[in-house]
Amino acid sequence: MELTIQYFGMLTDITACSEETIDFNGVTTADLLTLLYLKYPQLKRTSFKTAQSQIIITEDDVLTSTNIVLLPPFSGG
Amino acid sequence: MKEKKLKNAFKEGPISAEFIGNSIAKHQSKTSIGAHNIFLGQVRADQIEDKTVAAIEYTAYEDMANEKFYEIRETAFKKFDLNCMHIYHSLGTVKAGEICLFVFVSSTRRKEVFPAIEYIVEEIKAHVPIFGKEVFEDASYQWKINS
């Protein structure tokens, strides 16, 4: 399955892109994060949340969307 | 599923005093209103070590952000007796001294608008996926962290 991953804020400093597509054969958020930590070891030391369909998901959630978003701490206002 | 219309709360660049003034003027025809309250977020020229913040560049996960603004509006209307509510947040560059957040609530009576504005502003800070990049005068930067 091909996933589109979007990165925001300080995460784009680590990934050097705001969006990319990756091949994914896993099931849960944790499976995806394992893959991303291999690609970007610095992500592991960074605080962020994962969202799909505009909802924050946990590590155990099953990925049902092909569009996944990684969000660092919010700093609006 | 309930049909809902999401407003776009984002404005490119700073929120001008004219825009804020016009928003106030538009409410003069709504004569059941007896109290307005306004919150304006302004970009601070913070000193960090020997550098000064010149501007904040805002980005957002806009789809989710507008969804969250919608939820905050709905909850605020349930919690407080408000006649109307407007929320605007900047995207892109906002220089120190310029306005980046404009929240405007109106009610028949004053007692509703004070807690309402605080609730809305705190909810925005905590739950809306907006990201601020503090750009210093020498063009270096750091990512803003809300305290």
Side-chain angles (χ1 to χ4, degrees):
Chain A
M1 180 166 63
E2 201 164 73
L3 294 183
T4 303
I5 319 285
Q6 279 178 275
Y7 306 101
F8 282 89
M10 65 178 70
L11 302 181
T12 59
D13 284 355
I14 296 170
T15 60
C17 68
S18 57
E19 189 177 317
E20 65 181 336
T21 55
I22 60 161
D23 266 329
F24 179 64
N25 299 313
V27 176
T28 63
T29 312
D31 297 338
L32 173 65
L33 294 184
T34 306
L35 204 67
L36 294 179
Y37 290 152
L38 276 174
K39 192 167 181 185
Y40 307 109
Q42 227 187 312
L43 265 188
K44 216 168 182 170
R45 300 187 293 276
T46 309
S47 169
F48 67 89
K49 288 173 178 164
T50 309
Q52 72 178 349
S53 308
Q54 293 150 43
I55 292 166
I56 305 287
I57 54 176
T58 68
E59 293 221 340
D60 300 329
D61 282 330
V62 173
L63 301 186
T64 54
S65 169
T66 53
N67 193 304
I68 305 296
V69 182
L70 267 58
L71 301 166
F74 305 159
S75 54
Chain B
M1 208 172 126
K2 197 179 79 174
E3 190 74 16
K4 65 181 183 187
K5 194 165 163 266
L6 285 189
K7 287 188 177 180
N8 180 19
F10 290 107
K11 291 189 72 66
E12 194 61 38
I15 298 163
S16 70
E18 288 79 6
F19 181 83
I20 295 160
N22 286 336
S23 296
I24 297 167
K26 280 181 193 160
H27 289 74
Q28 287 174 343
S29 59
K30 299 182 179 180
T31 49
S32 60
I33 293 171
H36 297 299
N37 199 3
I38 286 174
F39 176 86
L40 300 175
Q42 175 167 300
V43 172
R44 237 185 357 253
D46 270 350
Q47 300 271 344
I48 294 149
E49 290 165 10
D50 56 343
K51 294 178 181 182
T52 305
V53 172
I56 296 181
E57 279 175 30
Y58 287 103
T59 51
Y61 176 25
E62 289 181 57
D63 290 346
M64 181 175 162
N66 279 315
E67 184 80 34
K68 288 287 164 194
F69 280 129
Y70 175 85
E71 288 173 19
I72 293 167
R73 282 176 61 83
E74 291 295 297
T75 311
F77 272 122
K78 279 185 196 131
K79 282 173 81 86
F80 308 99
D81 185 14
L82 300 175
N83 296 40
C84 63
M85 180 189 328
H86 303 275
I87 303 172
Y88 298 97
H89 198 293
S90 294
L91 283 182
T93 303
V94 183
K95 293 180 195 146
E98 294 181 326
I99 302 298
C100 57
L101 172 62
F102 171 32
V103 182
F104 186 4
V105 295
S106 310
S107 176
T108 310
R109 303 212 170 264
R110 72 183 181 284
K111 288 208 169 159
E112 296 295 317
V113 297
F114 297 114
I117 206 115
E118 182 171 10
Y119 171 80
I120 294 163
V121 172
E122 294 305 323
E123 287 291 295
I124 292 170
K125 295 238 175 202
H127 300 298
V128 183
I130 299 172
F131 311 100
K133 184 185 196 177
E134 293 174 319
V135 182
F136 298 108
E137 283 160 340
D138 65 358
S140 61
Y141 67 88
Q142 71 170 20
W143 291 95
K144 180 175 178 259
I145 296 165
N146 276 356
S147 50

